[in-house]
Every structure is written in structure tokens, then in C-alpha cells.
Amino acid sequence: MRAIRTVVENIAGTDVTVLIRGESGVGKDFVARAIHAASVHRQGPFIKVNCAAIPPGLLESELFGHEKGAFTGAHRRKPGQFEYAQGGTIYLDEIAELPPALQAKLLHVLQDFRFARVGGHGLIEVDVQPIVVAKLLDRRARLIQREPE
């Protein structure tokens, strides 16, 4: 526990993107909240996005927002979770569940802290502490998943 506390304290003073990996139930959420609470972004919001719980077709709009008329049903401009996290922390849980094309777009956002809403042209800059989380599957679970049906 002391080793984790030391890592949290070391990370808290930086503006780096944090990757937390671990099996279910090991306290990844707790560590992410501890990083937020100790960071320079602690006064801002802590926005958690469970990437596995959002249908793939809605993920881009959920993360980056959309402009009015960007797609059927987009009757008004909607900010995304990155905008809601402005000045705070965005916690992206189950990041490995994102489709590859969206992973590539997210990588650019995590590098540049700029993005365009779906259907938008102007770039939006954000000041957020990104924390991304991926489950760590044991070797046996990975082998089971790869077995043909």
C-alpha cells in the first residue's frame, strides 16, 4: 500500500496521462480517485466514463460531443465528457473496449488535448488529467478468449 501511495504522490504533481492496469476488484477506481484528489486538477470535476457500457456507435459523440445536425437525432449541440471534465480529471474505464479507429482518435486527443465535436470543424482545447484503465487478464483467461468456438 505504501508503494502505491508513493506512486500516487509522484504522479499527482505531473500532467501526464496515467494508465492503470489490474484485475477486477483490485482498487483501480480507488487509485484513480486518489490521483485526482492529490493532483493540481483536484478542484475540477472527476468525470468517469465506462467505455464498455456505451454502444460503439455512440462513443465518439459521448467522449467529444456533437454539433446540431451532425447525425439523425442530433437536434442540439451537446458537449462531450472531455468538455465536462475541463479543469479536472477524465477517467476512461475499460479503454481496451474502444474500437480501433476511436482508439487512434483518442490517442491524438491525449497527445494534443484538442479535438473537434462530431460534425464540428473548430478545435476545442481542454485542460484535463487523463486517467485510463484497462483490465489485466491473466494468461489463462486470454487463452480461453482466443480459443475458436
Side-chain angles (χ1 to χ4, degrees), residues 42-104:
R42 67 183 161 271
Q43 299 300 323
F46 181 88
I47 303 295
K48 181 177 178 180
V49 181
N50 183 342
C51 297
I54 302 169
L58 299 178
L59 272 165
E60 186 173 5
S61 175
E62 186 66 25
L63 292 174
F64 309 119
H66 62 260
E67 296 291 342
K68 179 179 179 178
F71 51 84
T72 304
H75 301 296
R76 61 180 176 82
R77 173 187 282 176
K78 178 191 172 291
Q81 297 301 321
F82 270 90
E83 288 177 82
Y84 289 127
Q86 178 65 24
T89 299
I90 187 158
Y91 172 64
L92 302 172
D93 196 9
E94 303 291 347
I95 196 80
E97 300 300 317
L98 292 175
L102 190 53
Q103 286 183 21

Side-chain angles (χ1 to χ4, degrees), residues 1-146:
M1 189 65 170
R2 288 180 208 203
I4 293 173
R5 185 176 297 133
T6 300
V7 170
V8 167
E9 290 168 359
N10 290 336
I11 291 171
T14 69
D15 272 342
V16 298
T17 299
V18 177
L19 169 64
I20 301 172
R21 292 182 356 171
E23 296 174 17
S24 293
V26 297
K28 297 181 297 286
D29 283 12
F30 179 79
V31 171
R33 289 183 186 279
I35 292 168
H36 172 72
S39 77
V40 296
H41 292 94
R42 67 183 161 271
Q43 299 300 323
F46 181 88
I47 303 295
K48 181 177 178 180
V49 181
N50 183 342
C51 297
I54 302 169
L58 299 178
L59 272 165
E60 186 173 5
S61 175
E62 186 66 25
L63 292 174
F64 309 119
H66 62 260
E67 296 291 342
K68 179 179 179 178
F71 51 84
T72 304
H75 301 296
R76 61 180 176 82
R77 173 187 282 176
K78 178 191 172 291
Q81 297 301 321
F82 270 90
E83 288 177 82
Y84 289 127
Q86 178 65 24
T89 299
I90 187 158
Y91 172 64
L92 302 172
D93 196 9
E94 303 291 347
I95 196 80
E97 300 300 317
L98 292 175
L102 190 53
Q103 286 183 21
K105 183 171 184 175
L106 181 61
L107 176 62
H108 288 288
V109 174
L110 295 177
Q111 290 173 336
D112 302 333
F113 294 96
R114 297 183 303 185
F115 61 91
R117 290 187 190 111
V118 175
H121 300 289
L123 291 177
I124 299 167
E125 291 194 24
V126 289
D127 174 24
V128 297
Q129 168 76 56
I131 299 177
V132 297
V133 176
K135 263 195 260 182
L136 182 65
L137 299 175
D138 65 24
R139 186 172 183 270
R140 184 175 167 186
R142 279 183 263 153
L143 289 174
I144 292 170
Q145 287 179 341
R146 290 183 186 163

